[in-house]
mmCIF file of all heavy atoms in Angstrom:
data_model
loop_
_atom_site.group_PDB
_atom_site.id
_atom_site.type_symbol
_atom_site.label_atom_id
_atom_site.label_comp_id
_atom_site.label_asym_id
_atom_site.label_seq_id
_atom_site.Cartn_x
_atom_site.Cartn_y
_atom_site.Cartn_z
ATOM 1 N N MET A 73 0.841 -1.193 0.006
ATOM 2 C CA MET A 73 0.015 0.008 0.001
ATOM 3 C C MET A 73 0.917 1.250 0.006
ATOM 4 O O MET A 73 1.822 1.347 0.733
ATOM 5 C CB MET A 73 -0.862 -0.011 1.251
ATOM 6 C CG MET A 73 -2.136 0.680 1.048
ATOM 7 S SD MET A 73 -3.217 0.155 2.417
ATOM 8 C CE MET A 73 -4.470 1.315 2.128
ATOM 9 N N ASP A 74 0.561 2.182 -0.788
ATOM 10 C CA ASP A 74 1.287 3.411 -0.931
ATOM 11 C C ASP A 74 0.822 4.449 0.044
ATOM 12 O O ASP A 74 -0.250 4.894 0.028
ATOM 13 C CB ASP A 74 1.158 3.918 -2.359
ATOM 14 C CG ASP A 74 2.100 5.147 -2.594
ATOM 15 O OD1 ASP A 74 3.038 5.343 -1.768
ATOM 16 O OD2 ASP A 74 1.830 5.865 -3.545
ATOM 17 N N ASP A 75 1.767 4.801 1.008
ATOM 18 C CA ASP A 75 1.404 5.862 2.046
ATOM 19 C C ASP A 75 1.779 7.213 1.617
ATOM 20 O O ASP A 75 1.684 8.190 2.461
ATOM 21 C CB ASP A 75 2.066 5.543 3.368
ATOM 22 C CG ASP A 75 1.510 4.284 4.022
ATOM 23 O OD1 ASP A 75 0.375 3.962 3.740
ATOM 24 O OD2 ASP A 75 2.211 3.624 4.854
ATOM 25 N N SER A 76 2.276 7.361 0.459
ATOM 26 C CA SER A 76 2.723 8.710 -0.043
ATOM 27 C C SER A 76 1.511 9.648 -0.287
ATOM 28 O O SER A 76 1.592 10.873 -0.252
ATOM 29 C CB SER A 76 3.565 8.602 -1.298
ATOM 30 O OG SER A 76 2.796 8.091 -2.349
ATOM 31 N N HIS A 77 0.351 9.070 -0.606
ATOM 32 C CA HIS A 77 -0.833 9.949 -0.820
ATOM 33 C C HIS A 77 -1.452 10.258 0.521
ATOM 34 O O HIS A 77 -2.101 9.407 1.164
ATOM 35 C CB HIS A 77 -1.835 9.146 -1.720
ATOM 36 C CG HIS A 77 -3.106 9.918 -1.961
ATOM 37 N ND1 HIS A 77 -3.128 11.048 -2.583
ATOM 38 C CD2 HIS A 77 -4.346 9.635 -1.497
ATOM 39 C CE1 HIS A 77 -4.417 11.476 -2.620
ATOM 40 N NE2 HIS A 77 -5.169 10.607 -1.940
ATOM 41 N N GLN A 78 -1.283 11.460 1.000
ATOM 42 C CA GLN A 78 -1.936 11.911 2.242
ATOM 43 C C GLN A 78 -3.137 12.726 1.943
ATOM 44 O O GLN A 78 -3.090 13.677 1.153
ATOM 45 C CB GLN A 78 -0.921 12.831 2.942
ATOM 46 C CG GLN A 78 0.346 12.128 3.457
ATOM 47 C CD GLN A 78 0.049 10.984 4.521
ATOM 48 O OE1 GLN A 78 -0.902 11.210 5.305
ATOM 49 N NE2 GLN A 78 0.821 9.936 4.526
ATOM 50 N N PRO A 79 -4.367 12.311 2.378
ATOM 51 C CA PRO A 79 -5.505 13.137 2.114
ATOM 52 C C PRO A 79 -5.453 14.460 2.785
ATOM 53 O O PRO A 79 -5.034 14.588 3.931
ATOM 54 C CB PRO A 79 -6.665 12.235 2.759
ATOM 55 C CG PRO A 79 -5.978 11.347 3.706
ATOM 56 C CD PRO A 79 -4.602 11.195 3.302
ATOM 57 N N ASP A 80 -5.964 15.461 2.007
ATOM 58 C CA ASP A 80 -6.062 16.811 2.617
ATOM 59 C C ASP A 80 -7.341 16.946 3.477
ATOM 60 O O ASP A 80 -8.238 16.257 3.269
ATOM 61 C CB ASP A 80 -6.167 17.848 1.456
ATOM 62 C CG ASP A 80 -4.893 17.780 0.552
ATOM 63 O OD1 ASP A 80 -3.917 17.189 0.963
ATOM 64 O OD2 ASP A 80 -4.887 18.403 -0.485
ATOM 65 N N ASP A 81 -7.188 17.859 4.393
ATOM 66 C CA ASP A 81 -8.404 18.185 5.166
ATOM 67 C C ASP A 81 -9.429 18.904 4.314
ATOM 68 O O ASP A 81 -10.627 18.964 4.622
ATOM 69 C CB ASP A 81 -8.023 19.094 6.366
ATOM 70 C CG ASP A 81 -7.282 18.283 7.479
ATOM 71 O OD1 ASP A 81 -7.399 17.014 7.388
ATOM 72 O OD2 ASP A 81 -6.699 18.959 8.313
ATOM 73 N N GLU A 82 -8.965 19.431 3.222
ATOM 74 C CA GLU A 82 -9.835 20.234 2.310
ATOM 75 C C GLU A 82 -10.301 19.410 1.147
ATOM 76 O O GLU A 82 -10.747 19.963 0.106
ATOM 77 C CB GLU A 82 -9.004 21.400 1.809
ATOM 78 C CG GLU A 82 -8.434 22.339 2.893
ATOM 79 C CD GLU A 82 -9.508 23.265 3.433
ATOM 80 O OE1 GLU A 82 -10.382 23.657 2.636
ATOM 81 O OE2 GLU A 82 -9.502 23.564 4.557
ATOM 82 N N SER A 83 -10.252 18.096 1.179
ATOM 83 C CA SER A 83 -10.645 17.190 0.036
ATOM 84 C C SER A 83 -12.138 17.479 -0.295
ATOM 85 O O SER A 83 -12.945 17.531 0.660
ATOM 86 C CB SER A 83 -10.396 15.815 0.382
ATOM 87 O OG SER A 83 -9.089 15.487 0.447
ATOM 88 N N THR A 84 -12.364 17.449 -1.598
ATOM 89 C CA THR A 84 -13.844 17.563 -1.952
ATOM 90 C C THR A 84 -14.144 16.311 -2.687
ATOM 91 O O THR A 84 -13.370 15.478 -3.101
ATOM 92 C CB THR A 84 -14.043 18.748 -2.959
ATOM 93 O OG1 THR A 84 -13.245 18.566 -4.075
ATOM 94 C CG2 THR A 84 -13.608 20.011 -2.260
ATOM 95 N N TRP A 85 -15.443 16.146 -2.925
ATOM 96 C CA TRP A 85 -15.935 14.938 -3.563
ATOM 97 C C TRP A 85 -15.400 14.845 -5.028
ATOM 98 O O TRP A 85 -14.950 13.730 -5.488
ATOM 99 C CB TRP A 85 -17.460 14.913 -3.654
ATOM 100 C CG TRP A 85 -18.081 13.710 -4.235
ATOM 101 C CD1 TRP A 85 -18.591 13.623 -5.464
ATOM 102 C CD2 TRP A 85 -18.188 12.448 -3.655
ATOM 103 N NE1 TRP A 85 -19.016 12.328 -5.651
ATOM 104 C CE2 TRP A 85 -18.818 11.576 -4.523
ATOM 105 C CE3 TRP A 85 -17.888 11.930 -2.383
ATOM 106 C CZ2 TRP A 85 -19.039 10.230 -4.346
ATOM 107 C CZ3 TRP A 85 -18.136 10.589 -2.122
ATOM 108 C CH2 TRP A 85 -18.734 9.760 -3.089
ATOM 109 N N ALA A 86 -15.177 15.953 -5.648
ATOM 110 C CA ALA A 86 -14.665 16.047 -6.963
ATOM 111 C C ALA A 86 -13.205 15.596 -7.087
ATOM 112 O O ALA A 86 -12.730 15.056 -8.083
ATOM 113 C CB ALA A 86 -14.903 17.366 -7.605
ATOM 114 N N SER A 87 -12.466 15.813 -5.952
ATOM 115 C CA SER A 87 -11.073 15.536 -6.010
ATOM 116 C C SER A 87 -10.777 14.048 -5.691
ATOM 117 O O SER A 87 -9.627 13.609 -5.810
ATOM 118 C CB SER A 87 -10.344 16.430 -4.959
ATOM 119 O OG SER A 87 -10.662 16.032 -3.670
ATOM 120 N N LEU A 88 -11.726 13.271 -5.299
ATOM 121 C CA LEU A 88 -11.546 11.842 -5.091
ATOM 122 C C LEU A 88 -11.489 11.087 -6.353
ATOM 123 O O LEU A 88 -12.157 11.428 -7.348
ATOM 124 C CB LEU A 88 -12.667 11.378 -4.127
ATOM 125 C CG LEU A 88 -12.784 11.936 -2.731
ATOM 126 C CD1 LEU A 88 -14.041 11.416 -2.058
ATOM 127 C CD2 LEU A 88 -11.589 11.665 -1.929
ATOM 128 N N SER A 89 -10.776 10.016 -6.354
ATOM 129 C CA SER A 89 -10.724 9.141 -7.492
ATOM 130 C C SER A 89 -11.969 8.278 -7.508
ATOM 131 O O SER A 89 -12.799 8.236 -6.577
ATOM 132 C CB SER A 89 -9.482 8.171 -7.415
ATOM 133 O OG SER A 89 -9.641 7.209 -6.406
ATOM 134 N N ARG A 90 -12.153 7.577 -8.601
ATOM 135 C CA ARG A 90 -13.305 6.711 -8.800
ATOM 136 C C ARG A 90 -13.451 5.666 -7.658
ATOM 137 O O ARG A 90 -14.497 5.330 -7.149
ATOM 138 C CB ARG A 90 -13.297 6.091 -10.116
ATOM 139 C CG ARG A 90 -14.604 5.542 -10.554
ATOM 140 C CD ARG A 90 -14.496 5.003 -11.969
ATOM 141 N NE ARG A 90 -15.431 5.765 -12.766
ATOM 142 C CZ ARG A 90 -15.637 5.599 -14.021
ATOM 143 N NH1 ARG A 90 -15.043 4.659 -14.645
ATOM 144 N NH2 ARG A 90 -16.509 6.339 -14.649
ATOM 145 N N GLY A 91 -12.247 5.036 -7.309
ATOM 146 C CA GLY A 91 -12.214 4.000 -6.321
ATOM 147 C C GLY A 91 -12.566 4.528 -4.959
ATOM 148 O O GLY A 91 -13.175 3.956 -4.168
ATOM 149 N N GLU A 92 -11.981 5.746 -4.678
ATOM 150 C CA GLU A 92 -12.268 6.448 -3.372
ATOM 151 C C GLU A 92 -13.699 6.719 -3.258
ATOM 152 O O GLU A 92 -14.294 6.614 -2.144
ATOM 153 C CB GLU A 92 -11.396 7.654 -3.192
ATOM 154 C CG GLU A 92 -9.909 7.313 -3.018
ATOM 155 C CD GLU A 92 -9.059 8.566 -3.028
ATOM 156 O OE1 GLU A 92 -9.372 9.530 -3.763
ATOM 157 O OE2 GLU A 92 -7.988 8.527 -2.355
ATOM 158 N N LYS A 93 -14.317 7.143 -4.299
ATOM 159 C CA LYS A 93 -15.743 7.501 -4.267
ATOM 160 C C LYS A 93 -16.543 6.284 -4.006
ATOM 161 O O LYS A 93 -17.512 6.304 -3.243
ATOM 162 C CB LYS A 93 -16.215 8.209 -5.631
ATOM 163 C CG LYS A 93 -15.742 9.570 -5.765
ATOM 164 C CD LYS A 93 -16.204 10.154 -7.093
ATOM 165 C CE LYS A 93 -15.698 11.550 -7.318
ATOM 166 N NZ LYS A 93 -16.156 12.074 -8.611
ATOM 167 N N ALA A 94 -16.186 5.184 -4.691
ATOM 168 C CA ALA A 94 -16.957 3.900 -4.533
ATOM 169 C C ALA A 94 -16.817 3.420 -3.072
ATOM 170 O O ALA A 94 -17.762 3.007 -2.456
ATOM 171 C CB ALA A 94 -16.467 2.871 -5.523
ATOM 172 N N LEU A 95 -15.571 3.531 -2.547
ATOM 173 C CA LEU A 95 -15.334 3.108 -1.165
ATOM 174 C C LEU A 95 -16.109 3.958 -0.150
ATOM 175 O O LEU A 95 -16.698 3.433 0.741
ATOM 176 C CB LEU A 95 -13.852 3.160 -0.877
ATOM 177 C CG LEU A 95 -13.419 2.574 0.468
ATOM 178 C CD1 LEU A 95 -13.830 1.108 0.527
ATOM 179 C CD2 LEU A 95 -11.862 2.756 0.654
ATOM 180 N N ALA A 96 -16.137 5.283 -0.418
ATOM 181 C CA ALA A 96 -16.831 6.186 0.417
ATOM 182 C C ALA A 96 -18.401 5.889 0.349
ATOM 183 O O ALA A 96 -19.080 5.857 1.424
ATOM 184 C CB ALA A 96 -16.633 7.632 0.076
ATOM 185 N N ALA A 97 -18.886 5.676 -0.785
ATOM 186 C CA ALA A 97 -20.315 5.383 -0.971
ATOM 187 C C ALA A 97 -20.648 4.048 -0.299
ATOM 188 O O ALA A 97 -21.750 3.850 0.326
ATOM 189 C CB ALA A 97 -20.686 5.255 -2.461
ATOM 190 N N PHE A 98 -19.769 3.014 -0.414
ATOM 191 C CA PHE A 98 -19.971 1.763 0.182
ATOM 192 C C PHE A 98 -19.977 1.848 1.732
ATOM 193 O O PHE A 98 -20.832 1.290 2.421
ATOM 194 C CB PHE A 98 -18.855 0.777 -0.215
ATOM 195 C CG PHE A 98 -19.053 -0.609 0.286
ATOM 196 C CD1 PHE A 98 -20.036 -1.473 -0.108
ATOM 197 C CD2 PHE A 98 -18.213 -1.082 1.277
ATOM 198 C CE1 PHE A 98 -20.191 -2.760 0.321
ATOM 199 C CE2 PHE A 98 -18.337 -2.337 1.778
ATOM 200 C CZ PHE A 98 -19.352 -3.131 1.323
ATOM 201 N N GLY A 99 -19.063 2.713 2.273
ATOM 202 C CA GLY A 99 -18.932 2.845 3.716
ATOM 203 C C GLY A 99 -20.146 3.617 4.277
ATOM 204 O O GLY A 99 -20.707 3.264 5.342
ATOM 205 N N MET A 100 -20.649 4.687 3.522
ATOM 206 C CA MET A 100 -21.764 5.306 4.010
ATOM 207 C C MET A 100 -23.113 4.539 3.911
ATOM 208 O O MET A 100 -23.919 4.653 4.811
ATOM 209 C CB MET A 100 -22.033 6.714 3.147
ATOM 210 C CG MET A 100 -20.901 7.667 3.404
ATOM 211 S SD MET A 100 -20.697 8.095 5.151
ATOM 212 C CE MET A 100 -21.855 9.351 5.339
ATOM 213 N N THR A 101 -23.153 3.668 2.909
ATOM 214 C CA THR A 101 -24.336 2.777 2.833
ATOM 215 C C THR A 101 -24.306 1.797 3.950
ATOM 216 O O THR A 101 -25.400 1.527 4.544
ATOM 217 C CB THR A 101 -24.334 2.065 1.456
ATOM 218 O OG1 THR A 101 -24.251 3.000 0.376
ATOM 219 C CG2 THR A 101 -25.439 1.066 1.301
ATOM 220 N N GLY A 102 -23.171 1.192 4.285
ATOM 221 C CA GLY A 102 -23.041 0.329 5.430
ATOM 222 C C GLY A 102 -23.411 1.073 6.732
ATOM 223 O O GLY A 102 -24.060 0.433 7.610
ATOM 224 N N LEU A 103 -22.935 2.284 6.844
ATOM 225 C CA LEU A 103 -23.237 3.067 8.099
ATOM 226 C C LEU A 103 -24.760 3.289 8.231
ATOM 227 O O LEU A 103 -25.346 3.054 9.223
ATOM 228 C CB LEU A 103 -22.511 4.293 8.079
ATOM 229 C CG LEU A 103 -22.714 5.308 9.261
ATOM 230 C CD1 LEU A 103 -22.255 4.633 10.532
ATOM 231 C CD2 LEU A 103 -22.095 6.618 9.029
ATOM 232 N N LEU A 104 -25.392 3.678 7.150
ATOM 233 C CA LEU A 104 -26.799 3.928 7.065
ATOM 234 C C LEU A 104 -27.598 2.635 7.367
ATOM 235 O O LEU A 104 -28.505 2.670 8.227
ATOM 236 C CB LEU A 104 -27.270 4.471 5.738
ATOM 237 C CG LEU A 104 -28.762 4.728 5.544
ATOM 238 C CD1 LEU A 104 -29.137 5.817 6.473
ATOM 239 C CD2 LEU A 104 -29.098 4.989 4.118
ATOM 240 N N LEU A 105 -27.209 1.482 6.836
ATOM 241 C CA LEU A 105 -27.897 0.255 7.091
ATOM 242 C C LEU A 105 -27.689 -0.193 8.529
ATOM 243 O O LEU A 105 -28.570 -0.693 9.230
ATOM 244 C CB LEU A 105 -27.414 -0.853 6.109
ATOM 245 C CG LEU A 105 -27.853 -0.684 4.669
ATOM 246 C CD1 LEU A 105 -27.150 -1.794 3.838
ATOM 247 C CD2 LEU A 105 -29.371 -0.796 4.552
ATOM 248 N N GLY A 106 -26.490 0.098 9.105
ATOM 249 C CA GLY A 106 -26.245 -0.220 10.489
ATOM 250 C C GLY A 106 -27.052 0.616 11.460
ATOM 251 O O GLY A 106 -27.660 0.041 12.380
ATOM 252 N N VAL A 107 -27.204 1.848 11.151
ATOM 253 C CA VAL A 107 -28.089 2.734 11.980
ATOM 254 C C VAL A 107 -29.549 2.308 11.865
ATOM 255 O O VAL A 107 -30.292 2.200 12.874
ATOM 256 C CB VAL A 107 -27.883 4.217 11.594
ATOM 257 C CG1 VAL A 107 -28.913 5.064 12.237
ATOM 258 C CG2 VAL A 107 -26.511 4.664 11.976
ATOM 259 N N ILE A 108 -29.950 1.989 10.656
ATOM 260 C CA ILE A 108 -31.381 1.539 10.509
ATOM 261 C C ILE A 108 -31.654 0.264 11.272
ATOM 262 O O ILE A 108 -32.608 0.089 11.907
ATOM 263 C CB ILE A 108 -31.772 1.465 8.982
ATOM 264 C CG1 ILE A 108 -31.791 2.829 8.363
ATOM 265 C CG2 ILE A 108 -33.074 0.743 8.782
ATOM 266 C CD1 ILE A 108 -32.007 2.867 6.837
#
Side-chain angles (χ1 to χ4, degrees):
M73 209 167 169
D74 185 17
D75 290 336
S76 63
H77 175 66
Q78 296 293 329
D80 297 348
D81 288 342
E82 303 280 328
S83 294
T84 62
W85 183 257
S87 69
L88 296 176
S89 70
R90 194 175 244 183
E92 289 172 329
K93 287 180 183 178
L95 188 60
F98 183 72
M100 293 306 272
T101 302
L103 179 64
L104 178 67
L105 289 175
V107 168
I108 289 172

